[in-house]
Amino acid sequence: MTQAEKPIIIIGSGLAAYTLIREYRKLNTDFPITLVTQESGDFYSKPMLSTAIAGQKSAEQLVTSSGAKMAEQFNLTLHTHATVKKIDPKHQMISVVLSDGQSIDIGYSQLVLALGADQIRVPIDGDASDAIQSVNDLHDYAIFRKQLDGKKKVVILGAGLIGCEFANDLALGGYQVEVIDLADQALSRLLPKPIAQALEQQLSSLGVLWHLGSSIQSISHDGDHLRVSLRNGQSINADLVLSALGLAPRVQLAKEAGIATNRGIIVNRQLETSIQNIYSLGDCAEVEGQVLPYVMPIMQAARTLAMVLAGQDASLVYPAMPVMIKTPALPLIVSPPPIGSSGSWSIKQIDGGMEGLFHNDQAELIGFALAGSATSQRATLTKLLPPILGAS
């Protein structure tokens, strides 16, 4: 087999991988593509995982297209429940353990790492630390849904985006919810304090209890329940504990292949890594110091990489891309200022909502946070923001 006949290999089957395939097939319908994934290969919306409990949706109901249908629709060779053990850049090969335990080597013309990210786990003392749940994919969600049967009270570790979305969803689903976070407010990396307090109040009205400014010390079995001990001396009884402490890009496979990594897998504006013919996108990729695990950046990167893989000139640009936080108790849309920005927030109450604008020291708008009815201003304000990554 000549190099030109070797397939494009994509590792991963999340939104990044399938969006890339969809965009590439618009440009080239025939070139062979092989997709290797540890999951089932089924297509589903990952953002739905933190909003599906109140609607009593099963894992199966979240699948919009099976792996087999995706393979047929996009003309793919699909290896599911398979693990990539090694990347050999010199010979442009990957070593894969298939679902039946067989080991094979597959050559590639171009390799794409769409590995995703893992939920951050921190060491926690106690004889029940292994009982902490996390939901990072469809399989995790199925387990969590099963664990919820007959339970009443859930403690969530982390008051970030995923933690707040789960808190809202679980409370709407009739569960008692308590949230623990070391920060003194919810969504500390995204919201100014007054809007965070408004969110906390709205979720409190659904029964959510907050333990802010403290962290978990240990988790232990207490009969049929779990006892969560905090560093401030408080303790909480729970039926389940859900960890939502944020995401860590999966970089180990790339590191072992000699690919440059930082927080994520380092790529240039063509999404190419430090090794020729190996690319990366999605939650695992880092572009000019930016790791953006959100839908819109993934879409932008997928369109750019599809063109690159098809032999066209393309360079990644990130316009301003506000993030919608799925907390129906208080709808939120945020475009946070760049980390380390100097400036200040101005907060304005409006009928049915709140508007937060962040101006830098030159009085330029570089971020916003909109709550409730103020979310209607999204399009107008987004036009005023500078791009996250402008044209190079």
Side-chain angles (χ1 to χ4, degrees):
M1 180 182 289
T2 66
Q3 187 63 28
E5 292 171 324
K6 290 181 179 178
I8 295 170
I9 295 180
I10 300 172
I11 305 174
S13 60
L15 179 66
Y18 276 132
T19 304
L20 171 62
I21 290 166
R22 183 176 286 109
E23 294 297 323
Y24 181 79
R25 281 295 183 230
K26 294 176 184 177
L27 305 172
N28 188 316
T29 58
D30 300 322
F31 196 87
I33 298 176
T34 296
L35 188 147
V36 182
T37 176
Q38 291 183 314
E39 297 187 49
S40 64
D42 296 338
F43 184 71
Y44 63 97
S45 172
K46 188 173 180 180
M48 288 291 293
L49 296 178
S50 57
T51 62
I53 290 164
Q56 299 184 336
K57 291 190 179 295
S58 67
E60 293 77 18
Q61 288 173 310
L62 295 181
V63 173
T64 54
S65 187
S66 69
K69 285 184 178 177
M70 296 298 282
E72 180 182 1
Q73 180 181 353
F74 294 111
N75 187 23
L76 310 174
T77 298
L78 180 61
H79 297 294
T80 62
H81 304 295
T83 303
V84 177
K85 290 296 186 181
K86 181 183 177 183
I87 299 168
D88 180 355
K90 181 178 179 181
H91 299 100
Q92 295 200 185
M93 306 268 293
I94 63 170
S95 298
V96 184
V97 178
L98 301 177
S99 58
D100 62 2
Q102 178 187 1
S103 296
I104 62 171
D105 292 332
I106 312 173
Y108 62 84
S109 59
Q110 295 166 306
L111 176 65
V112 178
L113 307 179
L115 307 174
D118 289 313
Q119 286 282 346
I120 293 171
R121 303 297 292 262
V122 296
I124 294 174
D125 292 337
D127 62 13
S129 60
D130 60 349
I132 297 174
Q133 309 274 314
S134 63
V135 177
N136 196 40
D137 56 36
L138 201 62
H139 178 68
D140 291 342
Y141 177 80
I143 293 172
F144 185 58
R145 284 283 298 151
K146 187 175 181 180
Q147 291 287 326
L148 278 172
D149 287 347
K151 304 296 196 302
K152 294 180 179 178
K153 188 172 179 182
V154 181
V155 167
I156 298 174
L157 309 182
L161 188 150
I162 300 300
C164 287
E165 289 185 350
F166 265 112
N168 201 149
D169 197 41
L170 286 162
L172 288 175
Y175 296 93
Q176 301 170 32
V177 180
E178 302 197 28
V179 181
I180 303 166
D181 199 291
L182 187 58
D184 65 355
Q185 67 169 76
L187 291 162
S188 59
R189 295 181 182 177
L190 296 176
L191 293 182
K193 188 148 190 165
I195 296 181
Q197 289 174 331
L199 174 65
E200 292 161 23
Q201 289 167 6
Q202 290 301 313
L203 288 176
S204 294
S205 70
L206 296 178
V208 175
L209 299 178
W210 300 92
H211 302 272
L212 300 173
S214 189
S215 59
I216 186 171
Q217 182 170 37
S218 66
I219 175 171
S220 306
H221 290 288
D222 185 7
D224 293 334
H225 302 282
L226 300 171
R227 178 172 292 277
V228 179
S229 299
L230 306 185
R231 295 194 183 280
N232 64 7
Q234 287 184 292
S235 64
I236 311 165
N237 284 328
D239 294 317
L240 284 177
V241 177
L242 177 67
S243 179
L245 297 174
L247 297 173
R250 291 174 179 150
V251 299
Q252 190 59 36
L253 185 65
K255 270 187 177 180
E256 291 170 357
I259 297 167
T261 64
N262 185 32
R263 183 178 163 212
I265 299 169
I266 297 171
V267 296
N268 61 20
R269 292 290 191 99
Q270 286 68 48
L271 286 308
E272 190 169 31
T273 70
S274 60
I275 294 180
Q276 188 176 15
N277 292 325
I278 301 180
Y279 302 82
S280 184
L281 83 166
D283 295 359
C284 65
E286 178 176 328
V287 188
E288 295 190 7
Q290 300 268 6
V291 178
L292 300 176
Y294 305 114
V295 171
M296 291 307 295
I298 288 173
M299 298 293 189
Q300 291 286 125
R303 283 190 285 267
T304 300
L305 183 51
M307 295 173 68
V308 170
L309 295 179
Q312 301 181 15
D313 289 333
S315 184
L316 180 63
V317 173
Y318 282 150
M321 295 177 289
V323 177
M324 181 177 70
I325 300 172
K326 297 179 292 300
T327 46
L330 184 67
L332 294 166
I333 295 176
V334 299
S335 184
I339 294 172
S341 296
S342 179
S344 61
W345 285 99
S346 60
I347 310 297
K348 184 169 68 174
Q349 294 271 0
I350 64 173
D351 187 26
M354 296 178 74
E355 171 194 273
L357 304 179
F358 189 94
H359 291 88
N360 63 15
D361 294 337
Q362 290 73 46
E364 299 164 325
L365 181 70
I366 61 171
F368 63 72
L370 306 174
S373 61
T375 56
S376 64
Q377 300 176 54
R378 170 184 182 163
T380 301
L381 291 172
T382 300
K383 293 175 184 176
L384 303 177
L385 294 176
I388 297 171
L389 284 180
S392 56

